[in-house]
Amino acid sequence: MNALAIAGGTVVTPRRIGKADVLVQGEKVARIGKVGRGIRRASARGLLVLPGAVDAHVHLDLPVAGTRSADGWRSGTLAAAAGGVTTVIDFTVGSAEVPLPDQIEQRTAEVREAVVDFALRAEMVGWTADRTPELAQAAERGVRSFKFFLAYASSGRRTPLGMLRQAMNAIRDLGGTAMVHAEAEELLDPGGGPFPLARPAIAEEVAIAEVGVLARETRCPTYIAHISSAQGMRALRAAQRSGSPLVGETCPHYLLLDERVYRRPDGHRFSVTPPLRSAADRAALWDALARRWLQAVGTDHCPFRNDQKDPFQNVPSRIPSGLPGVELLLPLLYSAGVARGRIGLPDLVRYLSEGPARAFGLWPRKGALRVGADADLVLLDPKATWTVDAGRLHMATDFSPYEGLRVQGRVVGVLSRGTWLVRDGEILARPGRGRFVPWTQGRG
Ligand SMILES: [Zn+2]
């Protein structure tokens, strides 16, 4: 078997930081420690060697608001590779008419050009109790996570709490995870505007509190997507302290940006749901990361080009909502988190690799740097600095919410199952090599 030593770097896991070589044999990590002579070597001197990031929340080629998110599987996963994300979790296209197994087959068939490995989550739309057998059928196809919306009644995506409770009981029995978009519909402005006042933080707090009670009672592991506010964090903490098995995610845009951007002439381009909040909310989310009150950072990657958002500048209810994220997840969390002293290096890999991989049944095959895991590795130059320029990124959008931001830390090497996707800063990734990763039984 082809052997390769990533030699002389600083290896980072959630529990350990230290100088070590990593021996890659075929698609797996075979050894961490000293690797002797006679083995092909790639120097990682001066670099951090991290487990590949798992972005548990991406929307590639998503049909929404009469358009599609700008990144397809090719550009979206190429961008992921460029940024050190070696696994993405995307969604089926939920429907009241199409059963989950058919949704999974359709979505898998569409993924012909993935560069990195991917898993799928079923998007629950038009869910009714008589569809319960579909959950086990999805599980047989390697999909055990299911996303519910407490908002978006007008587009038929909202699941009432009674139905959610019933589904959570079934998901617990399957050993899966419910994911919830937690905004209480009754507290949102049905007219959609003015953005972002239409979606207040109290809607998030109330919804997380409600879901926390359901998760405690059903004992169903439940992942709260994109927590954006101090109020949302308060509800998450209260639920977790009461024994509710909630897993909390926030996103880079809630950590790096705040509502001031909406006052800019191009403020509408920052439309995202939930919306960006206050500087105090931002600080509360960093504090939560520092205290390990959250378990994952994902991007909710859902990019649009300016020509998709600009026509609706003055029609907040019709602006496609979402921001690009997958390519900058790791660099931004390193730069604004680790380099600024807000979180430690082990927490970086906890939030980007182990946390999301464990929450969605991929760990330790994914999200772990240990013997026997897939050789998904990132080499990061911690000293390199660079400036965000949307035109030089690989995502298929001409907009970056971070345009002009100075970033410390650069991804210079990426391996996926032992194959170089990025080497010495050059992208070598080949579309079509990414594979579906099924949920593995158990959480490790
Ligand atoms: Zn999302």
Short mmCIF file of all heavy atoms in Angstrom, two decimals, residues 57 59 91 147 226 300, ligand 1:
data_model
loop_
_atom_site.label_atom_id
_atom_site.label_comp_id
_atom_site.label_asym_id
_atom_site.label_seq_id
_atom_site.Cartn_x
_atom_site.Cartn_y
_atom_site.Cartn_z
N HIS A 57 -23.36 21.62 7.96
CA HIS A 57 -24.52 22.43 7.57
C HIS A 57 -24.23 23.20 6.28
O HIS A 57 -23.82 24.35 6.32
CB HIS A 57 -24.85 23.38 8.73
CG HIS A 57 -26.18 24.05 8.61
ND1 HIS A 57 -26.77 24.68 9.67
CD2 HIS A 57 -27.04 24.18 7.58
CE1 HIS A 57 -27.93 25.19 9.29
NE2 HIS A 57 -28.11 24.90 8.01
N HIS A 59 -25.73 24.00 2.13
CA HIS A 59 -26.85 23.92 1.19
C HIS A 59 -26.31 24.15 -0.22
O HIS A 59 -26.27 25.28 -0.69
CB HIS A 59 -27.90 24.99 1.51
CG HIS A 59 -28.53 24.85 2.86
ND1 HIS A 59 -29.51 23.93 3.13
CD2 HIS A 59 -28.30 25.50 4.03
CE1 HIS A 59 -29.89 24.02 4.39
NE2 HIS A 59 -29.16 24.98 4.97
N PHE A 91 -28.35 18.32 2.40
CA PHE A 91 -29.73 17.95 2.69
C PHE A 91 -30.41 17.35 1.46
O PHE A 91 -30.05 17.68 0.33
CB PHE A 91 -30.53 19.19 3.09
CG PHE A 91 -30.03 19.85 4.34
CD1 PHE A 91 -28.92 20.69 4.31
CD2 PHE A 91 -30.64 19.60 5.56
CE1 PHE A 91 -28.45 21.30 5.47
CE2 PHE A 91 -30.17 20.20 6.72
CZ PHE A 91 -29.08 21.04 6.68
N LYS A 147 -33.93 17.12 9.47
CA LYS A 147 -34.03 18.54 9.82
C LYS A 147 -35.47 19.04 9.79
O LYS A 147 -36.16 18.92 8.78
CB LYS A 147 -33.21 19.40 8.88
CG LYS A 147 -33.24 20.87 9.29
CD LYS A 147 -32.55 21.77 8.31
CE LYS A 147 -32.39 23.17 8.88
NZ LYS A 147 -31.84 24.09 7.88
N HIS A 226 -27.59 26.88 13.80
CA HIS A 226 -27.32 28.32 13.69
C HIS A 226 -27.84 29.20 14.84
O HIS A 226 -28.65 30.09 14.62
CB HIS A 226 -27.79 28.87 12.35
CG HIS A 226 -29.20 28.50 11.91
ND1 HIS A 226 -30.28 28.69 12.69
CD2 HIS A 226 -29.66 27.96 10.75
CE1 HIS A 226 -31.37 28.29 12.04
NE2 HIS A 226 -31.00 27.83 10.86
N ASP A 300 -23.85 26.87 7.54
CA ASP A 300 -25.14 27.15 6.87
C ASP A 300 -24.84 27.76 5.49
O ASP A 300 -25.53 28.67 5.04
CB ASP A 300 -26.00 28.09 7.73
CG ASP A 300 -27.46 28.08 7.31
OD1 ASP A 300 -27.82 27.31 6.40
OD2 ASP A 300 -28.24 28.86 7.89
ZN ZN B 1 -29.52 25.78 6.86
#
